[in-house]
PDB file of all heavy atoms in Angstrom:
ATOM      1  N   SER Z 244     -60.377 -71.215-161.093  1.00 94.00           N
ATOM      2  CA  SER Z 244     -61.142 -71.303-162.452  1.00 94.00           C
ATOM      3  C   SER Z 244     -62.662 -71.328-162.115  1.00 94.00           C
ATOM      4  O   SER Z 244     -63.099 -71.390-161.063  1.00 94.00           O
ATOM      5  CB  SER Z 244     -60.787 -72.658-163.146  1.00 94.00           C
ATOM      6  OG  SER Z 244     -61.103 -73.692-162.315  1.00 94.00           O
ATOM      7  N   LEU Z 245     -63.396 -71.087-163.171  1.00 95.00           N
ATOM      8  CA  LEU Z 245     -64.885 -71.093-162.993  1.00 95.00           C
ATOM      9  C   LEU Z 245     -65.475 -72.414-163.762  1.00 95.00           C
ATOM     10  O   LEU Z 245     -64.942 -72.768-164.616  1.00 95.00           O
ATOM     11  CB  LEU Z 245     -65.477 -69.880-163.624  1.00 95.00           C
ATOM     12  CG  LEU Z 245     -65.373 -68.572-163.074  1.00 95.00           C
ATOM     13  CD1 LEU Z 245     -65.827 -67.341-163.862  1.00 95.00           C
ATOM     14  CD2 LEU Z 245     -66.074 -68.582-161.703  1.00 95.00           C
ATOM     15  N   ALA Z 246     -66.674 -72.872-163.134  1.00 95.00           N
ATOM     16  CA  ALA Z 246     -67.378 -73.964-163.800  1.00 95.00           C
ATOM     17  C   ALA Z 246     -68.621 -73.254-164.222  1.00 95.00           C
ATOM     18  O   ALA Z 246     -69.107 -72.456-163.509  1.00 95.00           O
ATOM     19  CB  ALA Z 246     -67.580 -75.094-162.802  1.00 95.00           C
ATOM     20  N   TYR Z 247     -69.105 -73.695-165.467  1.00 96.00           N
ATOM     21  CA  TYR Z 247     -70.392 -73.268-165.989  1.00 96.00           C
ATOM     22  C   TYR Z 247     -71.474 -73.643-164.978  1.00 96.00           C
ATOM     23  O   TYR Z 247     -72.415 -72.941-164.839  1.00 96.00           O
ATOM     24  CB  TYR Z 247     -70.679 -73.915-167.308  1.00 96.00           C
ATOM     25  CG  TYR Z 247     -71.872 -73.292-168.052  1.00 96.00           C
ATOM     26  CD1 TYR Z 247     -71.603 -72.080-168.666  1.00 96.00           C
ATOM     27  CD2 TYR Z 247     -73.080 -73.819-168.061  1.00 96.00           C
ATOM     28  CE1 TYR Z 247     -72.693 -71.284-169.269  1.00 96.00           C
ATOM     29  CE2 TYR Z 247     -74.071 -73.185-168.752  1.00 96.00           C
ATOM     30  CZ  TYR Z 247     -73.926 -71.950-169.349  1.00 96.00           C
ATOM     31  OH  TYR Z 247     -74.921 -71.317-170.112  1.00 96.00           O
ATOM     32  N   GLY Z 248     -71.392 -74.821-164.379  1.00 93.00           N
ATOM     33  CA  GLY Z 248     -72.310 -75.147-163.306  1.00 93.00           C
ATOM     34  C   GLY Z 248     -73.431 -75.945-163.587  1.00 93.00           C
ATOM     35  O   GLY Z 248     -74.101 -76.627-162.802  1.00 93.00           O
ATOM     36  N   ASP Z 249     -74.106 -75.775-164.786  1.00 93.00           N
ATOM     37  CA  ASP Z 249     -75.401 -76.357-165.172  1.00 93.00           C
ATOM     38  C   ASP Z 249     -75.297 -76.811-166.623  1.00 93.00           C
ATOM     39  O   ASP Z 249     -76.326 -76.651-167.428  1.00 93.00           O
ATOM     40  CB  ASP Z 249     -76.470 -75.510-164.915  1.00 93.00           C
ATOM     41  CG  ASP Z 249     -77.859 -76.328-164.630  1.00 93.00           C
ATOM     42  OD1 ASP Z 249     -77.780 -77.450-164.181  1.00 93.00           O
ATOM     43  OD2 ASP Z 249     -78.898 -75.719-164.764  1.00 93.00           O
ATOM     44  N   LEU Z 250     -74.248 -77.591-166.972  1.00 96.00           N
ATOM     45  CA  LEU Z 250     -74.100 -77.932-168.186  1.00 96.00           C
ATOM     46  C   LEU Z 250     -74.747 -79.333-168.691  1.00 96.00           C
ATOM     47  O   LEU Z 250     -74.396 -80.319-168.131  1.00 96.00           O
ATOM     48  CB  LEU Z 250     -72.569 -78.131-168.607  1.00 96.00           C
ATOM     49  CG  LEU Z 250     -72.146 -78.447-170.085  1.00 96.00           C
ATOM     50  CD1 LEU Z 250     -72.464 -77.246-170.827  1.00 96.00           C
ATOM     51  CD2 LEU Z 250     -70.532 -78.891-170.039  1.00 96.00           C
ATOM     52  N   LYS Z 251     -75.907 -79.190-169.307  1.00 96.00           N
ATOM     53  CA  LYS Z 251     -76.673 -80.336-169.627  1.00 96.00           C
ATOM     54  C   LYS Z 251     -76.995 -80.461-171.193  1.00 96.00           C
ATOM     55  O   LYS Z 251     -77.082 -79.470-171.873  1.00 96.00           O
ATOM     56  CB  LYS Z 251     -78.041 -80.161-168.918  1.00 96.00           C
ATOM     57  CG  LYS Z 251     -77.898 -80.145-167.443  1.00 96.00           C
ATOM     58  CD  LYS Z 251     -79.265 -80.074-166.669  1.00 96.00           C
ATOM     59  CE  LYS Z 251     -79.929 -78.717-166.813  1.00 96.00           C
ATOM     60  NZ  LYS Z 251     -81.038 -78.652-165.767  1.00 96.00           N
ATOM     61  N   PRO Z 252     -77.079 -81.636-171.733  1.00 97.00           N
ATOM     62  CA  PRO Z 252     -77.323 -81.808-173.172  1.00 97.00           C
ATOM     63  C   PRO Z 252     -78.439 -81.070-173.741  1.00 97.00           C
ATOM     64  O   PRO Z 252     -78.440 -80.631-174.822  1.00 97.00           O
ATOM     65  CB  PRO Z 252     -77.472 -83.363-173.313  1.00 97.00           C
ATOM     66  CG  PRO Z 252     -76.845 -83.932-172.153  1.00 97.00           C
ATOM     67  CD  PRO Z 252     -77.006 -82.963-170.988  1.00 97.00           C
ATOM     68  N   GLU Z 253     -79.606 -80.990-172.889  1.00 96.00           N
ATOM     69  CA  GLU Z 253     -80.734 -80.337-173.430  1.00 96.00           C
ATOM     70  C   GLU Z 253     -80.599 -78.791-173.325  1.00 96.00           C
ATOM     71  O   GLU Z 253     -81.389 -78.075-173.838  1.00 96.00           O
ATOM     72  CB  GLU Z 253     -81.890 -80.749-172.685  1.00 96.00           C
ATOM     73  CG  GLU Z 253     -82.009 -80.369-171.083  1.00 96.00           C
ATOM     74  CD  GLU Z 253     -81.330 -81.614-170.375  1.00 96.00           C
ATOM     75  OE1 GLU Z 253     -80.511 -82.309-170.872  1.00 96.00           O
ATOM     76  OE2 GLU Z 253     -81.778 -81.670-169.143  1.00 96.00           O
ATOM     77  N   HIS Z 254     -79.442 -78.303-172.731  1.00 96.00           N
ATOM     78  CA  HIS Z 254     -79.218 -76.955-172.588  1.00 96.00           C
ATOM     79  C   HIS Z 254     -78.001 -76.365-173.503  1.00 96.00           C
ATOM     80  O   HIS Z 254     -77.478 -75.309-173.285  1.00 96.00           O
ATOM     81  CB  HIS Z 254     -78.935 -76.443-171.151  1.00 96.00           C
ATOM     82  CG  HIS Z 254     -80.094 -76.393-170.308  1.00 96.00           C
ATOM     83  ND1 HIS Z 254     -79.994 -76.349-168.918  1.00 96.00           N
ATOM     84  CD2 HIS Z 254     -81.509 -76.594-170.631  1.00 96.00           C
ATOM     85  CE1 HIS Z 254     -81.240 -76.287-168.516  1.00 96.00           C
ATOM     86  NE2 HIS Z 254     -82.185 -76.531-169.417  1.00 96.00           N
ATOM     87  N   VAL Z 255     -77.573 -77.303-174.417  1.00 98.00           N
ATOM     88  CA  VAL Z 255     -76.655 -77.014-175.499  1.00 98.00           C
ATOM     89  C   VAL Z 255     -77.339 -76.998-176.806  1.00 98.00           C
ATOM     90  O   VAL Z 255     -77.789 -78.115-177.226  1.00 98.00           O
ATOM     91  CB  VAL Z 255     -75.436 -78.034-175.516  1.00 98.00           C
ATOM     92  CG1 VAL Z 255     -74.424 -77.708-176.430  1.00 98.00           C
ATOM     93  CG2 VAL Z 255     -74.837 -78.064-173.942  1.00 98.00           C
TER      94      VAL Z 255
END
Side-chain angles (χ1 to χ4, degrees):
S244 63
L245 288 173
Y247 192 78
D249 207 20
L250 189 64
K251 300 184 282 194
E253 61 270 31
H254 287 172
V255 180

